[in-house]
Amino acid sequence: SSEMSTSGGKAVHSRTLTNVTSTDSGQYTCTVITVAGQDNRAVSVVVKVPPTTTIPPPVRATGLTELTVDVQTDKLGLVGDGEIIGTDVQFKPANESSWKTISATEYREVKIQNLSPNTTYEVRLVLSRPGVGGRGKPGPTATVSTLTHMPGGRTSRPVVPLPVH
């Protein structure tokens, strides 16, 4: 969209570009033609793309009520621009619509705990970079189920510490 206004007695023209992608980055020329003459200015436009992943995060069931998510972005088919400054793990039961979020900025793995046993969950990552518009869209979803029983025949009974004598 275009806009014309005045500032300090001078005409100011601005143009807003919408729905731009990284392919719109490049050199542009702004040309002004008035009764007084003509002038050109080169402008460099850099379109920064918020980060996201192209593959689902690796998720494994590590307990009856626990899933462990690998959030190392170098393994996740990263696309977008800028340094990753935030990683959120979003999860929900597969049959529900509301996502819950755990911030995982400083970790290589995130444990999602207090889940229901023998339940299928969907897990995805949302990445952020510095600057305006730096939060990316959610990446692809991994689908995994919590365990129905513990390996080795263990049950879900709580471990009770023995008194120290």
Side-chain angles (χ1 to χ4, degrees):
S1 67
S2 293
E3 182 179 305
M4 184 69 112
S5 62
T6 58
S7 175
K10 296 182 180 182
V12 176
H13 182 81
S14 65
R15 176 166 299 272
T16 302
L17 305 175
T18 57
N19 300 318
V20 295
T21 66
S22 59
T23 60
D24 295 311
S25 294
Q27 290 285 92
Y28 289 81
T29 301
C30 178
T31 303
V32 176
I33 303 172
T34 68
V35 292
Q38 175 178 329
D39 197 10
N40 298 312
R41 292 283 188 255
V43 177
S44 179
V45 174
V46 177
V47 178
K48 293 201 171 205
V49 177
T52 191
T53 59
T54 59
I55 60 173
V59 183
R60 65 187 187 281
T62 50
L64 290 172
T65 60
E66 178 182 276
L67 298 174
T68 300
V69 185
D70 184 340
V71 294
Q72 297 177 66
T73 55
D74 58 334
K75 298 178 180 180
L76 299 173
L78 186 65
V79 294
D81 299 304
E83 170 193 9
I84 304 301
I85 61 167
T87 303
D88 287 340
V89 176
Q90 293 186 330
F91 65 97
K92 68 179 187 72
N95 62 350
E96 293 183 14
S97 59
S98 180
W99 293 88
K100 294 181 182 176
T101 301
I102 297 174
S103 182
T105 304
E106 299 179 19
Y107 306 102
R108 297 170 63 89
E109 284 189 339
V110 170
K111 293 189 182 302
I112 306 172
Q113 300 176 319
N114 301 316
L115 303 173
S116 298
N118 193 28
T119 302
T120 301
Y121 286 87
E122 293 179 349
V123 180
R124 65 188 186 187
L125 299 181
V126 179
L127 306 177
S128 299
R129 65 162 167 74
V132 175
R135 184 173 170 86
K137 65 180 182 181
T141 301
T143 303
V144 65
S145 296
T146 50
L147 299 175
T148 58
H149 64 281
M150 293 299 288
R154 293 183 296 160
T155 65
S156 61
R157 290 185 298 238
V159 176
V160 179
L162 297 173
V164 178
H165 293 283

